[in-house]
Amino acid sequence: MRIDINLAARPYEDARGFWTYWGTGMGLLALASALLVFLAASRFADAGRDRAQIARLQQEIAAYDQEKDHAQSILNQSQNRVLRDRSHFLNDLFQRKAFSWTRVFEDLERVMPARLHVVSIHPDMSSDNNLEIELVVAGDSREQALDLVRKMEGSNHFKQTYIKTERSSEVVSSSGDRVQFEIGALYVPSAESAPASGGMN
């Protein structure tokens, strides 16, 4: 018996290959979707833990602030003002005694550019009990002072460095100086610093 097949009316289709490719694509898509869902769930869980930790830290900070305000209100009472003022005076005195001239000059020497020298230095306590120094330097060019500010900012011992005043002159002084800068900075002594050279006056 002979069977005639008209390929023009019913073209040949490779159904097995089509379903193989389609199934493989759908499997990869499902795997990628599952991976994305897993990553999203993990990130959401991590974010939840971070939110809980932030809330806990905020509660602790609020409790510390409340305790600080309570202690401050006690110190501000009239019968405790003498004790408060004496405590502030002693704390300021201890911080001043901890200032080492030898250490600060060693730290400045590490960042001082060539042809720039210190004219004067004045340490003081800022309103928030940080050790602040006012430094007057002189040299023959403005770039040297800017370089000093950059190096001080890159140091571990000087923070918030800025130029307060700047003076320049066309007339060279006897020491060869053309410019003079007043620089302010917070000084952070190292932990191993010892007041071997005595306190600041």
Side-chain angles (χ1 to χ4, degrees):
M1 181 176 67
R2 189 178 71 177
I3 299 176
D4 294 331
I5 298 177
N6 188 353
L7 295 178
R10 301 182 62 184
Y12 173 74
E13 294 181 357
D14 187 3
R16 178 178 296 178
F18 170 78
W19 287 109
T20 299
Y21 295 142
W22 187 84
T24 301
M26 289 299 295
L28 292 175
L29 183 61
L31 182 62
S33 300
L35 180 61
L36 291 175
V37 170
F38 173 75
L39 291 175
S42 299
R43 296 289 175 85
F44 183 78
D46 292 341
R49 286 191 292 269
D50 292 340
R51 287 192 297 270
Q53 185 177 6
I54 290 173
R56 179 178 58 81
L57 292 175
Q58 288 176 339
Q59 290 177 352
E60 292 180 0
I61 292 173
Y64 289 142
D65 288 340
Q66 185 177 5
E67 183 178 353
K68 177 185 176 182
D69 292 339
H70 178 67
Q72 192 67 40
S73 65
I74 293 176
L75 285 175
N76 288 336
Q77 294 176 2
S78 57
Q79 65 270 25
N80 296 326
R81 287 179 181 173
V82 175
L83 179 63
R84 179 199 61 188
D85 294 341
R86 183 178 181 183
S87 174
H88 288 169
F89 171 76
L90 290 176
N91 287 334
D92 182 64
L93 183 62
F94 292 151
Q95 289 175 327
R96 287 175 179 271
K97 288 296 183 183
F99 181 83
S100 170
W101 284 104
T102 302
R103 180 66 64 176
V104 73
F105 277 113
E106 288 177 353
D107 294 333
L108 278 173
E109 187 178 0
R110 295 188 183 96
V111 297
M112 189 68 62
R115 300 192 306 278
L116 194 69
H117 61 92
V118 176
V119 176
S120 67
I121 180 171
H122 175 69
D124 199 1
M125 300 304 299
S126 63
S127 58
D128 51 357
N129 290 328
N130 287 318
L131 186 56
E132 186 175 15
I133 61 172
E134 294 182 0
L135 182 70
V136 177
V137 297
D140 57 12
S141 71
R142 186 174 189 272
E143 287 71 21
Q144 295 167 357
L146 297 177
D147 187 31
L148 173 61
V149 172
R150 286 192 294 267
K151 289 181 177 179
M152 289 177 70
E153 273 297 302
S155 169
N156 294 327
H157 303 293
F158 302 98
K159 304 297 179 185
Q160 301 179 22
T161 308
Y162 65 99
I163 296 177
K164 300 179 68 174
T165 60
E166 173 184 353
R167 291 190 296 272
S168 61
S169 175
E170 295 297 329
V171 180
V172 181
S173 66
S174 58
S175 58
D177 299 331
R178 292 181 180 271
V179 295
Q180 189 175 86
F181 287 83
E182 185 180 1
I183 298 173
L186 296 180
Y187 179 63
V188 183
S190 57
E192 67 274 8
S193 295
S197 59
M200 64 182 180
N201 297 315

